[in-house]
Amino acid sequence: MPRALAQEIRRAIKRYPQKRSAAMPALWAVQRRYGWCSPEGINQAAAVMGVTPGYLEGVATFYDLFHLEPQGDHQVLVCTNISCWLRGADDLLKAFSDAAGVDGQGSSEDGQLFVQGFECMGACDIAPMASIDERYYGPLDESDAEDAVKQLRSREDVLPEKRIQDRGAAGGPRGSGDKRLARHPVNRGSRPQPGKS
Ligand code: FES
């Protein structure tokens, strides 16, 4: 078992009064390690936690963001809920699927991309939007979908002008003048550390 994975799961267990409550961070650690919640990864996590693999599988099957089958190297989730749908999300989803060579939704044949429609991701102000490798982008049009897929395949920076973390404020121009937002780690290009705000 990868030592780093076991350590991450043990750290998660310490945050909860009952070890089985660490199921979600443990599954997330497995998914980050293997790209999906593989049977091998679930068995490893279960061994560290002292629970059955079936318990972890039960948790994983309940949540859309845990994958029990291999996904593409890059994950594109296109919001198709009401605000995004009203602004052309269905066409945007199709544009991503076509550009990635995915029939409908799922993984591309080359295994590089996974495209899926998704429910509201809480970023309706940038509709239509998508989450690409866990970062929000929007508003997007069909040409953005083609560009993003090409950039993902060639490992280039993806749609830097449409990335929400680069904005000063939701819906506002870059550099809104709000010092609280400018100080936030997300807007400085780094993610907040666990336990720190
Ligand atoms: S409806 Fe798309 S982010 Fe809310």
Side-chain angles (χ1 to χ4, degrees):
M1 177 187 316
R3 184 185 296 181
L5 176 62
Q7 287 173 339
E8 187 174 347
I9 293 170
R10 286 195 193 100
R11 276 198 301 274
I13 290 170
K14 285 185 187 156
R15 298 202 299 265
Y16 299 93
Q18 294 183 21
K19 59 187 177 183
R20 56 195 290 116
S21 301
M24 289 180 68
L27 286 165
W28 198 243
V30 167
Q31 187 158 290
R32 281 193 189 279
R33 170 85 199 182
Y34 296 105
W36 60 298
C37 291
S38 63
E40 178 191 14
I42 285 182
N43 286 341
Q44 291 169 344
V48 174
M49 293 178 68
V51 299
T52 65
Y55 170 70
L56 291 179
E57 278 173 23
V59 175
T61 54
F62 187 78
Y63 294 99
D64 282 348
L65 286 172
F66 289 129
H67 304 300
L68 289 157
E69 292 179 6
Q71 308 296 302
D73 297 337
H74 300 286
Q75 187 181 64
V76 179
L77 305 177
V78 180
C79 176
T80 53
N81 214 300
I82 187 70
S83 302
C84 292
W85 179 75
L86 285 168
R87 289 177 56 82
D90 286 350
D91 290 339
L92 181 64
L93 175 58
K94 184 171 184 319
F96 268 109
S97 296
D98 289 349
V102 171
D103 185 14
Q105 300 181 46
S107 299
S108 59
E109 269 188 27
D110 61 9
Q112 285 200 46
L113 283 127
F114 174 79
V115 180
Q116 184 182 19
F118 215 74
E119 294 303 316
C120 178
M121 290 186 259
C124 314
D125 64 300
I126 55 166
M129 59 80 64
S131 166
I132 302 175
D133 288 342
E134 300 177 22
R135 292 183 188 278
Y136 281 7
Y137 295 81
L140 300 177
D141 59 32
E142 290 161 52
S143 68
D144 289 325
E146 286 178 29
D147 291 345
V149 168
K150 278 188 203 145
Q151 289 159 344
L152 286 168
R153 286 209 155 107
S154 56
R155 299 178 182 273
E156 292 172 39
D157 198 17
V158 176
L159 304 177
E161 294 303 317
K162 299 287 179 88
R163 195 162 48 213
I164 194 171
Q165 80 170 35
D166 292 338
R167 296 189 324 183
R174 185 181 286 211
S176 68
D178 187 331
K179 292 195 172 77
R180 295 168 304 172
L181 288 167
R183 282 198 302 269
H184 195 282
V186 166
N187 291 319
R188 296 204 310 263
S190 60
R191 286 165 177 260
Q193 296 299 306
K196 296 181 182 172
S197 59

